[in-house]
Amino acid sequence: MYENIASFYDRNIGEVNYDLMAEFLHKAFVTYGKVSNTDERPILLDAACGTGECTIRMGAKGYDMIGLDISPNMLQMASEKPGAEQVMWICQDMAEMDLFGTVQAVFCMTDSINHLLEEEELQRFISRAFLFTELGGLLVFDCLTDTYYRNVIDGNTFYQEDEDFCYIWNGEYDGKMCDYDITCFQRTEKNNYMKLKDSVTERMWTDGQLRTALTAAGYSVVNTFSDLHFTGTDGKEERRFYVCRKK
């Protein structure tokens, strides 16, 4: 997943406000979880951390961070960034994660939940997160909704270009699965262009499906939001954020 275009990933999702995301997570952990402003550094897990942008920012906020991702290329990029030396990087499938101990909270952002394509896979991830989280700890994640896939992605083409880089991103949605075809062009030192292609599939999970999986694992849904400003949900949001507590 994104393995062929890992080196371009940060440029492709440049619209993500990671500073705001880290602040949202910090406030959620302090408000709803076991995290408090003490001298101890709570341990957090960033599941599907990608290139580590949010992981490193959370480390800078005073957390001991574990960054977990299935892609070696993504983790290699993450490990080369400033602040990465403070993070424990683990290459694992988040649905099969196996940690050395427990953490105070798990978070899984930038619609990584939508990359879980089967109900069994979704349940395994949530159950593994539950297993390795301390009692009363949180699972915080976001997901893209049917509104987003239908109104923003389906049948559309996205394009970005600058002096040495270009990508084209096509999306098709069938009401359950969304398939993306991604093509990147990168200018080389010889003034030629290197072409890289990748394909990604996401699944739209309904609120009911997610709540069923969370309840089965032992989580309670504390609250849901429609953005990183803690705005409530109305069923029309394009992205939904869940704050869940281990009972």
Side-chain angles (χ1 to χ4, degrees):
M1 189 179 302
Y2 298 115
E3 198 67 14
N4 294 334
I5 61 167
S7 60
F8 306 134
Y9 183 78
D10 286 341
R11 300 176 73 165
N12 290 345
I13 59 171
E15 72 276 6
V16 176
N17 188 335
Y18 284 108
D19 291 331
L20 182 60
M21 182 180 294
E23 187 61 25
F24 169 85
L25 289 167
H26 175 66
K27 288 180 180 178
F29 295 141
V30 171
T31 302
Y32 298 105
K34 297 178 61 178
V35 174
S36 61
N37 294 320
T38 67
D39 293 334
E40 297 181 359
R41 291 174 61 91
I43 303 174
L44 305 183
L45 170 68
D46 183 357
C49 65
T51 61
E53 288 291 327
C54 194
T55 325
I56 293 171
R57 283 170 170 79
M58 293 302 289
K61 287 186 174 293
Y63 298 98
D64 278 341
M65 292 303 306
I66 301 172
L68 182 148
D69 201 274
I70 197 172
S71 168
N73 289 346
M74 292 284 198
L75 291 176
Q76 179 63 37
M77 289 186 61
S79 67
E80 295 172 353
K81 295 181 177 180
E85 68 280 357
Q86 303 297 324
V87 179
M88 177 186 292
W89 304 104
I90 301 177
C91 188
Q92 289 182 1
D93 182 340
M94 68 180 187
E96 305 293 342
M97 60 183 172
D98 188 12
L99 305 182
F100 300 107
T102 58
V103 298
Q104 275 72 52
V106 175
F107 62 90
C108 183
M109 305 299 285
T110 59
D111 51 272
S112 296
I113 285 286
N114 295 104
H115 291 294
L116 301 174
L117 304 183
E118 303 294 335
E119 291 185 10
E120 295 81 3
E121 194 177 18
L122 174 69
Q123 192 65 66
R124 285 201 308 272
F125 164 66
I126 294 175
S127 296
R128 299 301 282 179
F130 185 89
L131 176 64
F132 290 109
T133 303
E134 294 182 0
L135 185 65
L138 297 185
L139 169 62
V140 179
F141 64 91
D142 68 351
C143 68
L144 296 173
T145 68
D146 180 74
T147 300
Y148 175 82
Y149 288 121
R150 289 190 184 279
N151 296 344
V152 178
I153 297 298
D154 188 33
N156 290 324
T157 298
F158 304 88
Y159 177 84
Q160 177 180 324
E161 179 183 16
D162 59 27
E163 292 183 357
D164 61 355
F165 171 81
C166 168
Y167 83 84
I168 303 167
W169 186 306
N170 299 304
E172 297 290 339
Y173 176 58
D174 65 5
K176 179 178 179 181
M177 299 291 185
C178 185
D179 295 317
Y180 300 98
D181 288 321
I182 307 166
T183 304
C184 296
F185 297 90
Q186 173 70 44
R187 190 192 299 271
T188 68
E189 294 179 355
K190 296 181 179 180
N191 210 31
N192 297 320
Y193 281 87
M194 175 176 59
K195 179 181 178 180
L196 295 173
K197 292 182 67 66
D198 219 331
S199 297
V200 176
T201 299
E202 292 185 335
R203 176 169 177 172
M204 188 281 297
W205 294 104
T206 67
D207 180 65
Q209 288 172 318
L210 292 170
R211 287 177 182 269
T212 296
L214 289 162
T215 300
Y219 282 107
S220 60
V221 178
V222 179
N223 216 330
T224 58
F225 304 101
S226 61
D227 57 33
L228 294 172
H229 300 284
F230 295 92
T231 305
T233 57
D234 60 7
K236 301 177 182 179
E237 59 277 352
E238 295 179 351
R239 185 183 297 269
R240 190 178 301 115
F241 298 80
Y242 288 80
V243 178
C244 314
R245 182 181 296 121
K246 179 175 180 175
K247 297 184 287 186

